[in-house]
Amino acid sequence: MLPPSPHAIFPHAVCSSPGMRPGKLGFITFVLPIILDGISNKIAPSLFMPNTIAMLQKDEFTFSQVAQRKRQDRAVQTAILASALSALAALSLALIKALLKNLPGQIALVLAGLSLTLRLAKGMRPAPVGSPADVLNRYEQKGGNAKGGAAGGSNEDFLMSQRISQQGYGKAPAPPPPLADGTDCV
């Protein structure tokens, strides 16, 4: 007979493992709340509690109390962020309206938009090399064979050539000294 599932034993437990929710959903539901809790707790420790994991490690809180407190924290965090974003949007809209009332303001607005676009485009750089596949892409851009890595070879040939070119690779160990009777074998 199979053991009961964890959900049968703990029906109200919520699994918040990033492996259970990959991608953006995992980030939004697991990583982002931990980051927000850390920032909020540092800014206003009397208003916000530490993150859920830290609270569950304390003996004075039950799981239900932690869940209830985190719901309260999320409501306050959401209200603060919504207020800040609303104020920023209203300020931006007022500034744009003021600039659009006269021709120099219109020109300044267009130039500011163009400048921002160029700065953002300049800031987008390719990621640094971090894996063999990235090394392969960089090699292909420098004139290597796009289909098979090293000229005419496979990706494995290319990676082996990279490994062999490393310092100290491929040097045979020194042979053991001969035995007392002059033979090489045991």
Side-chain angles (χ1 to χ4, degrees):
M1 180 168 164
L2 294 172
S5 75
H7 295 289
I9 298 171
F10 304 107
H12 301 292
V14 177
C15 183
S16 59
S17 167
M20 300 292 279
R21 297 182 186 136
K24 293 177 185 174
L25 183 62
F27 178 80
I28 291 170
T29 59
F30 184 74
V31 178
L32 187 62
I34 292 175
I35 293 170
L36 281 176
D37 286 341
I39 293 170
S40 301
N41 183 255
K42 283 186 181 180
I43 291 173
S46 60
L47 184 61
F48 298 104
M49 296 295 285
N51 68 49
T52 306
I53 297 170
M55 286 183 66
L56 287 172
Q57 292 175 346
K58 296 180 180 178
D59 291 334
E60 63 260 22
F61 298 113
T62 65
F63 186 83
S64 299
Q65 290 172 330
V66 170
Q68 182 179 6
R69 180 55 199 237
K70 284 294 121 187
R71 280 192 292 272
Q72 291 173 353
D73 283 357
R74 296 286 174 267
V76 174
Q77 288 168 345
T78 303
I80 290 172
L81 286 174
S83 299
L85 291 175
S86 296
L88 183 64
L91 183 65
S92 299
L93 189 60
L95 179 65
I96 289 171
K97 283 182 180 180
L99 287 174
L100 287 176
K101 287 186 179 180
N102 57 27
L103 184 61
Q106 292 173 355
I107 293 171
L109 189 61
V110 169
L111 290 176
L114 182 61
S115 173
L116 180 64
T117 303
L118 291 174
R119 283 182 184 219
L120 289 175
K122 186 178 180 182
M124 293 182 202
R125 293 196 170 101
V129 174
S131 72
D134 294 337
V135 171
L136 184 59
N137 281 338
R138 186 194 252 171
Y139 176 77
E140 289 169 0
Q141 290 172 358
K142 291 182 180 179
N145 182 358
K147 294 205 178 206
S154 66
N155 289 344
E156 187 175 338
D157 293 339
F158 170 74
L159 293 173
M160 283 304 297
S161 70
Q162 292 294 313
R163 177 185 252 180
I164 290 170
S165 68
Q166 293 176 352
Q167 184 179 12
Y169 181 82
K171 291 183 180 175
L179 297 174
D181 61 1
T183 62
D184 293 0
C185 45
V186 179

